[in-house]
Amino acid sequence: NPGGMWKPEVLADAVGNVRNHFPDPMTGVPANRTLGLIQAGGDGKSNFRGMGRTVSPAAVGHNGAGGQIAWGDPATGLSFGYCTNGLDRNVVREPRRGTALSSLAAVCTT
């Protein structure tokens, strides 16, 4: 892409057009996958998608292995990124930490 600029319609499609609603095999929650991102969605299950409980339905991002998370919320203009230098394999602690951090970050604009 010359100049590094995204066409507005491509970006809008990438963050707003959910293409995959298949349920996650572990949680049963629809995936809400766009072009490489996950949309929080308005079904009250954004915490299962790694974006906490307080983002808008339009927030998009992606969680990574071991607890990393990154998302942006167009409703508030806030973005959040969390990286760790360790791989947390605890299937309870890791998603709870991501949900807590994301939830606290998302209320920073209120």
Side-chain angles (χ1 to χ4, degrees), residues 82-104:
Y82 174 76
C83 293
T84 178
N85 65 350
L87 180 63
D88 191 345
R89 293 184 179 165
N90 186 299
V91 297
V92 174
R93 182 180 53 228
E94 182 262 312
R96 282 186 178 173
R97 181 180 55 233
T99 295
L101 289 168
S102 290
S103 296
L104 289 169

Side-chain angles (χ1 to χ4, degrees), residues 17-66:
N17 186 3
V18 176
R19 291 166 166 77
N20 177 342
H21 294 281
F22 294 123
D24 178 278
M26 293 191 60
T27 64
V29 174
N32 282 9
R33 299 259 178 183
T34 66
L35 283 176
L37 298 171
I38 300 169
Q39 187 182 69
D43 59 2
K45 298 188 182 201
S46 60
N47 58 310
F48 287 102
R49 297 181 186 105
M51 285 175 261
R53 301 178 190 276
T54 54
V55 296
S56 81
V60 292
H62 204 291
N63 48 357

Side-chain angles (χ1 to χ4, degrees), residues 64-75:
Q68 290 79 3
I69 182 74
W71 52 259
D73 193 339

